[in-house]
């Protein structure tokens, strides 16, 4: 997987980032506060600054209108949210992400190869990640290396059952809500998708 240092110019089929106006200020990385997804118009956190309003899962182009009225590609990013930012080489945020910016990390320069980005729950490639709460908050854990169609435990080491999941495995997963075995009611979570659940999940089969 490539480093998250290349975003493409805007494309017509994807909406530009919707960002609120901000008062002019000297650009520094420290402008970005905890919980925020921040962007700058120039590399190394220089130029115009904005806090991005990016709903979870929304696919958008790395091009925006800045407080001074100019419309250019993002030059740097700071991700201080609990989520990760995924970058794609296509215009639909489809398939596996080609680049990932983890929570509480930054990208000081943005190239020209990626076309779209989105904010998603934090999860590594080839893992099935679980979250304590349906809004992806609280304790998190992951399962990987699953083979065949065996029944795997979905609970955390303290027996905590998850209420949300993100599937970054290449296969669809069945998530079972019956405690103790793989059978009965279940959710099907396709590869590359995430969801919160009304019922707790106790077991998994690929």
């Amino acid at each position: 997987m490539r480093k998250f240092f290349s975003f493409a110019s805007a494309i017509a089929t994807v909406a530009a980032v919707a960002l609120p106006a901000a008062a002019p200020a000297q650009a520094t990385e420290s402008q970005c506060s905890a919980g925020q997804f921040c962007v700058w118009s120039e590399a190394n956190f220089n130029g115009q600054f904005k806090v991005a309003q990016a709903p979870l899962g929304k696919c958008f182009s790395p091009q925006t209108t800045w407080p001074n009225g100019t419309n250019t590609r993002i030059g740097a990013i700071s991700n201080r949210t609990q989520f990760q930012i995924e970058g794609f080489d296509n215009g639909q945020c489809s398939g596996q992400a080609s680049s990932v910016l983890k929570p509480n990390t930054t990208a000081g320069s943005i190239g020209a190869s990626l076309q779209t980005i989105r904010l998603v729950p934090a999860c590594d490639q080839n893992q099935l990640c679980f979250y304590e709460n349906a809004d992806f908050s609280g304790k998190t854990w992951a399962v990987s290396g699953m083979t065949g169609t065996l029944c795997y435990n979905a609970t955390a080491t303290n027996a905590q059952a998850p209420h949300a999941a993100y599937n970054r495995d290449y296969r669809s997963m069945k998530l079972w809500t019956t405690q103790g075995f793989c059978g009965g009611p279940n959710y099907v979570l396709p590869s590359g998708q995430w969801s919160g659940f009304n019922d707790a999940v106790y077991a998994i089969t690929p």
Side-chain angles (χ1 to χ4, degrees):
M1 179 176 289
R2 294 194 301 276
K3 297 293 186 182
F4 194 86
F5 295 143
S6 57
F7 287 104
S9 300
I11 56 176
T13 58
V14 181
V17 183
L19 302 172
Q26 184 178 1
T28 66
E29 185 178 348
S30 63
Q31 287 175 287
C32 196
S33 300
Q36 292 182 332
F37 168 23
C38 304
V39 295
W40 289 259
S41 62
E42 300 177 16
N44 300 317
F45 314 100
N46 291 314
Q48 296 288 300
F49 166 78
K50 282 189 174 181
V51 177
Q53 302 301 310
L56 189 67
K58 179 177 175 61
C59 183
F60 59 91
S61 163
Q63 177 120 353
T64 190
T65 299
W66 302 96
N68 66 358
T70 59
N71 185 279
T72 62
R73 185 170 51 83
I74 293 167
I77 292 177
S78 178
N79 179 19
R80 299 201 62 194
T81 74
Q82 72 183 69
F83 305 108
Q84 67 189 30
I85 301 170
E86 294 182 340
F88 296 83
D89 292 337
N90 59 68
Q92 297 79 38
C93 295
S94 60
Q96 293 286 357
S98 57
S99 302
V100 174
L101 190 64
K102 290 290 188 180
N104 297 308
T105 58
T106 61
S109 62
I110 308 301
S113 68
L114 297 191
Q115 297 183 20
T116 49
I117 54 179
R118 68 180 181 183
L119 199 69
V120 301
C123 185
D124 288 337
Q125 185 86 19
N126 300 319
Q127 289 188 335
L128 175 60
C129 296
F130 292 110
Y131 310 85
E132 179 180 358
N133 302 313
D135 63 355
F136 303 95
S137 64
K139 183 180 176 63
T140 65
W141 62 98
V143 178
S144 61
M146 291 177 286
T147 60
T149 57
L150 298 176
C151 183
Y152 291 88
N153 182 27
T155 60
T157 54
N158 63 351
Q160 171 72 52
H163 283 81
Y166 182 15
N167 182 14
R168 295 201 70 202
D169 192 280
Y170 65 92
R171 302 160 292 182
S172 291
M173 296 287 172
K174 282 188 177 180
L175 309 179
W176 304 92
T177 59
T178 303
Q179 191 167 1
F181 67 98
C182 293
N186 66 82
Y187 301 101
V188 176
L189 192 61
S191 175
Q193 294 191 20
W194 62 91
S195 182
F197 311 116
N198 291 326
D199 300 311
V201 170
Y202 292 95
I204 323 150
T205 51

